[in-house]
Amino acid sequence: MKKFTTLNDIHNLQEILAQALELKQHPFSFSHLGKQKTLVMLFFNASLRTRLSTEKAAKNLGMEVSVLNIANAWNLEFENGTIMNLNTSEHIKEAAEVISQYADIIAVRAFPSLKNKEQDTAEYIINSFLKYASVPIVNMESATAHPLQALADAITIKEANFTKKPNIVLSWAPHPKALPHSVANSFVNLMHKMDVNFTITHPKGYELDPAITKNSPIEYDQQKAFENADIVYTKNWSSFNDYGKVLLDDEMWMITKKNLKEAKFMHCLPIRRNVVAEDAVLDSPNSLVIQQANNRTFATQIVLQQILMYDKMSNSKLNNHYINQYE
């Protein structure tokens, strides 16, 4: 694996899931792989699970970790040809090249503006690092995607050991703030790669990007969507068509034990109790949210491991090439 910015960078999902589950049982079995390697983590917005799980994953592999909170340092400039006489003091061209000299892998986390759809869907932050950095890039969440979360979700679903093809529902839930589409987008992408029966449910007006949902069934009646569900994955997202807007705050879409029935409950966290889901759901044995959070470490660890192994193999081939030239 050369990089990890979307789930499409995984070529064999089932193989990666099996390796991640093996890592979960033996987390230090590749602790030699990252020796004398450095992961630089860049945060354009705050994080709890992503920061701690990524740092733990890197250290399990023997890596050193450096963390930089960009929002607390200075504003980077991403536009070309800009006269930088306002609030930006360093251009991404220099920043990415300089950081590449300090890092063997760069991990980046950034949120969308939710104001400029064209800019957000262009993924200008993560793509700028891909363009100008000279080391592999890992997406710790971007404007439209959260592939590490989706990979952790896949591990969690795999651990559920369903004996039949599971019925999985992605449900919108109310939230007082406008939130990104990244988690929902990557979960939809994941469902397209897994052998499941998948349905999306949300109020009208909250359709996700059709380029991502494609032919996924959409049910506007939440109760109907939940019939026979094995897993309900809940997440709020703002409107895509009326970009970044909160169109309604309907309490009827909150997940309750009554409407969940016997289904397992998943959410990426953090979660607003008794707004997105009631206490009875989160505190029940059917809640998988803590297991999901734990699996963030092993999702990240298998990604970093794959990148380190690819880099080691590439360097080995390069060294052999130089050796063969002089033999």
Side-chain angles (χ1 to χ4, degrees):
M1 189 184 294
K2 293 182 180 180
K3 64 179 180 64
F4 186 72
T5 55
T6 76
L7 285 177
N8 294 331
D9 289 317
I10 296 175
H11 301 299
N12 189 324
L13 179 60
Q14 292 305 316
E15 184 178 317
I16 288 292
L17 292 179
Q19 292 175 3
L21 289 168
E22 180 66 22
L23 269 182
K24 191 171 181 178
Q25 297 301 313
H26 308 284
F28 305 111
S29 54
F30 290 87
S31 59
H32 62 283
L33 198 59
K35 188 177 181 182
Q36 297 181 344
K37 301 285 186 179
T38 300
L39 172 70
V40 172
M41 301 164 62
L42 305 177
F43 290 91
F44 288 81
N45 59 285
S47 169
L48 189 154
R49 274 152 297 278
T50 298
R51 174 168 177 171
L52 295 178
S53 62
T54 304
E55 187 167 350
K56 182 177 181 181
K59 289 181 176 179
N60 284 353
L61 292 168
M63 299 187 76
E64 298 292 330
V65 180
S66 297
V67 179
L68 181 61
N69 295 310
I70 298 292
N72 296 331
W74 61 89
N75 293 323
L76 286 177
E77 180 60 61
F78 291 88
E79 295 291 333
N80 288 326
T82 302
I83 298 173
M84 294 171 53
N85 60 353
L86 296 174
N87 64 337
T88 55
S89 57
E90 183 158 5
H91 200 281
I92 183 62
K93 290 183 178 180
E94 288 79 42
E97 289 187 50
V98 168
I99 295 168
S100 297
Q101 296 178 103
Y102 307 146
D104 296 283
I105 300 173
I106 299 173
V108 181
R109 177 179 168 94
F111 268 16
S113 67
L114 291 179
K115 296 177 181 178
N116 186 326
K117 183 193 286 191
E118 183 178 344
Q119 187 181 65
D120 287 345
T121 54
E123 290 283 13
Y124 72 97
I125 293 180
I126 200 79
N127 284 333
S128 292
F129 277 96
L130 282 171
K131 183 176 182 178
Y132 297 116
S134 57
V135 297
I137 302 298
V138 172
N139 183 351
M140 297 191 294
E141 187 170 9
S142 61
T144 68
H146 200 342
L148 287 175
Q149 177 64 55
L151 186 53
D153 298 336
I155 296 169
T156 306
I157 293 168
K158 186 79 172 178
E159 288 178 322
N161 289 321
F162 290 105
T163 56
K164 60 179 180 64
K165 182 188 291 188
N167 299 315
I168 300 180
V169 179
L170 171 64
S171 178
W172 179 92
H175 196 284
K177 295 173 61 178
L179 294 184
H181 308 97
S182 51
V183 170
N185 286 345
S186 287
F187 189 74
V188 171
N189 191 3
L190 173 69
M191 292 297 95
H192 291 164
K193 297 176 183 296
M194 296 187 74
D195 186 21
V196 301
N197 299 314
F198 178 55
T199 302
I200 304 171
T201 185
H202 55 71
K204 290 184 178 180
Y206 277 98
E207 290 78 10
L208 293 163
D209 184 349
I212 291 172
T213 56
K214 297 178 181 177
N215 60 348
S216 299
I218 297 174
E219 174 57 64
Y220 296 113
D221 184 334
Q222 189 190 57
Q223 292 304 308
K224 187 174 180 181
F226 284 6
E227 291 176 5
N228 303 315
D230 295 301
I231 291 177
V232 171
Y233 195 112
T234 304
K235 186 72 180 78
N236 173 271
W237 58 86
S238 54
S239 175
F240 181 76
N241 289 328
D242 197 359
Y243 193 65
K245 298 293 191 299
V246 176
L247 303 180
L248 78 160
D249 190 16
D250 190 346
E251 294 180 2
M252 296 300 293
W253 280 80
M254 180 178 72
I255 308 301
T256 66
K257 200 165 184 181
K258 181 179 179 181
N259 63 26
L260 190 66
K261 299 176 183 176
E262 298 303 314
K264 303 290 186 183
F265 176 76
M266 295 179 67
H267 189 282
C268 62
L269 299 183
I271 187 168
R272 295 195 181 216
R273 284 175 171 257
N274 303 308
V275 174
V276 174
E278 66 178 4
D279 286 339
V281 169
L282 287 163
D283 297 333
S284 76
N286 280 10
S287 175
L288 302 180
V289 299
I290 303 302
Q291 182 180 344
Q292 280 177 267
N294 185 38
N295 284 335
R296 287 294 307 275
T297 296
F298 307 104
T300 306
Q301 190 170 339
I302 192 59
V303 165
L304 294 177
Q305 178 185 314
Q306 291 289 311
I307 292 173
L308 289 170
M309 290 178 72
Y310 180 88
D311 182 62
K312 184 177 181 179
M313 182 176 65
S314 298
N315 287 334
S316 177
K317 288 181 178 179
L318 184 62
N319 289 337
N320 287 338
H321 171 74
Y322 284 126
I323 290 171
N324 291 336
Q325 277 189 318
Y326 293 99
E327 284 184 343

